[in-house]
Amino acid sequence: MAAIIDRNHGFKSLAQLPRCRLQSYSHLDPSMHDSTHNITHTSNVTTTLHKSYSTPCLSLATNAKQEVESPNPRIEIVSGQKAPKVHDLVAEVAIALASGVKPTPVPSGLGGAYYMQSRKEGNSNNTIAVVKPADEEPLAFNNPKGFAGRMLGQPGMKRSIRVGETGLRELAAYLLDHGGFAGVPPSALVKICHVTFNVNVNMELASNPPFKITSIQRYVEHETDAGDLGPSRFSVCSVHRIGILDIRLLNLDRHAGNMLVKNFNGNHVAGKAELVPIDHGFCLPESLDDPYFEWLHWPQSSIPFSELEADYISSLDPFKDAELLRTELPSIRECSVRVFILCTIFLKRATAAGLSLADIGEMMTRDFIGGEESWSILENICVNAKANLDMEILSNGSDENKEFDEMFAFDKVFEDSLNQDQDVSTLSADGKPTKMMRYSSEGARGKLIDPRLTRLVQESGIKDGCGPAGISIPRSASFAAHSKNPDTGVCVSFEEMKEDEWSSFLEYYEELLPEAFLQKQSTSMLKQRLGYSCEF
């Protein structure tokens, strides 16, 4: 039976299934700062209510005006409809809102976040969800904690993640945590109407707030977080599973505070406490960035993967998951999807090569030596792969230019010979012009090469291998750290690559991985390796 919640907070049946108008926000860009006033860019996306009173949609408006004027709280799913357990979560929040429950601000953190509680009398632990409005993120214009000033879509606290887009990544982490392997709580992207949230710009709106786009996550009951316990308390399985997720998503902010501790209950036996990962807004950056992995130096991360974990990693399909992101979250930029593909391939190949979680995390993390930041091994691999791609593009372009130059030279010589402005002796016996001198400079191995290639070689630091016109190509490259570019902070831009260039880049990238893993293995063997015991 389909049902709605009326203003008297009761259920009533519907004689005919209504249709719920969902406003589509497939692009959280700077124009969405108007979401605290009037949002006009809507689409005709519609959906039919499920035959259950657990429907997450409270809006039965027949036109846009009625939707705006209706005073009743509403919540509608924007993204994540197909994710498991999402409908149950949103339905619980819908019932709470219709019952008059108000969001409770979370005092900790830099962004605006709210607890949603169910209406259970006498129950102190009745929190069911955490809601995070997009326009209240750190640096967003409605941030309630003094960290405001930027519009949605501008660079955020991490340059590779934009303001207002962390909620998308919360949902992405849940979608990519197949089978709840790491334990990411159910998450969705929703629209909440006529519920009081923080508004900095126009305080008159606080009494009758507009709708907001927010992320919503299931609240996790827990005893404490990882910051209150030593790492020896945590199970190897929990650390590995969170680490696998963080590597796939290139998590830039995995700290002790966003790993909740369950099943502890004061038990001080080592290796028993389970960890639950939360707060994934700083995942899936738009470019390779410097991640932070709290678990990197925990002893559990140096223990080899179990057979179950290795099988899970082997079963991952980065391209299938990339399509999942594009389908379920079309607002995530393609460059973020490409970073995800690179990191998942890196994880799969490294695991197959026998590297541990700590080895993989170290290869993805930048070094600070002598006050200077250097690219990580992963970033250096991508720099070399991009150099190979540029060589290929320039080589193809040089071949085309050579043919064009030769045709042009022959036409010119033939024309000059007809005009008797040049001696016909410049033509060879077969009628072709003699070898033409082209713009060139003395390059490697005493050969003449295009100056553009020379500059590319100098910038890329390429030494070994053989490429077009004698140019070196680092198919077998050394992965010594290159200095970070302080101007951009980006080693390779994936946003600018065309599809064919991206495919070629991936081929070069995978060719370079085996030697990088061999080099890591040789350095790791110098360290004392831990066994399988959980007694640290």
Side-chain angles (χ1 to χ4, degrees), residues 272-315:
K272 295 298 182 181
E274 300 296 321
L275 297 174
V276 178
I278 61 171
D279 294 345
H280 296 96
F282 290 138
C283 294
L284 299 174
E286 294 183 14
S287 60
L288 290 175
D289 208 328
D290 188 30
Y292 179 75
F293 302 138
E294 181 78 22
W295 44 258
L296 184 59
H297 301 293
W298 290 358
Q300 294 93 329
S301 65
S302 293
I303 295 177
F305 289 118
S306 67
E307 183 177 352
L308 177 63
E309 293 159 354
D311 288 343
Y312 176 83
I313 294 171
S314 177
S315 68

Side-chain angles (χ1 to χ4, degrees), residues 78 96 120 157 165 217 269 293 300 379 381 400 408:
V78 175
K120 294 181 180 178
M157 298 191 68
E165 297 188 359
Q217 292 82 40
V269 177
F293 302 138
Q300 294 93 329
E379 288 174 303
I381 293 172
E400 293 175 359
F408 177 81

Side-chain angles (χ1 to χ4, degrees), residues 484-500:
K484 177 178 175 292
N485 184 343
D487 297 328
T488 64
V490 176
C491 65
V492 176
S493 174
F494 301 109
E495 187 174 15
E496 300 173 355
M497 286 188 189
K498 300 177 182 178
E499 283 298 325
D500 58 337

Side-chain angles (χ1 to χ4, degrees), residues 397-411:
S398 297
D399 291 341
E400 293 175 359
N401 291 336
K402 181 178 179 181
E403 294 178 1
F404 177 80
D405 290 344
E406 289 179 348
M407 288 188 298
F408 177 81
F410 177 78
D411 292 340

Side-chain angles (χ1 to χ4, degrees), residues 89-110:
L89 170 63
V90 176
E92 290 182 47
V93 174
I95 293 172
L97 289 174
S99 300
V101 175
K102 305 296 183 183
T104 303
V106 178
S108 60
L110 301 179

Side-chain angles (χ1 to χ4, degrees), residues 22-93:
L22 293 182
Q23 300 203 24
S24 174
Y25 301 96
S26 60
H27 292 283
L28 292 181
D29 54 29
S31 63
M32 280 190 60
H33 72 271
D34 293 332
S35 62
T36 55
H37 303 284
N38 292 312
I39 297 184
T40 58
H41 54 290
T42 61
S43 66
N44 295 323
V45 179
T46 59
T47 185
T48 303
L49 290 176
H50 294 275
K51 294 184 179 181
S52 167
Y53 63 80
S54 63
T55 172
C57 181
L58 302 182
S59 174
L60 300 176
T62 57
N63 55 61
K65 182 179 179 180
Q66 185 177 346
E67 283 190 0
V68 173
E69 294 178 351
S70 174
N72 296 329
R74 293 195 311 277
I75 180 171
E76 302 173 4
I77 299 177
V78 175
S79 296
Q81 293 95 332
K82 298 180 181 179
K85 302 180 181 179
V86 163
H87 282 265
D88 291 341
L89 170 63
V90 176
E92 290 182 47
V93 174

Side-chain angles (χ1 to χ4, degrees), residues 187-203:
S187 305
L189 202 64
V190 300
K191 180 181 77 172
I192 298 181
C193 306
H194 302 297
V195 174
T196 301
F197 292 109
N198 184 68
V199 177
N200 289 335
V201 179
N202 187 350
M203 297 308 297

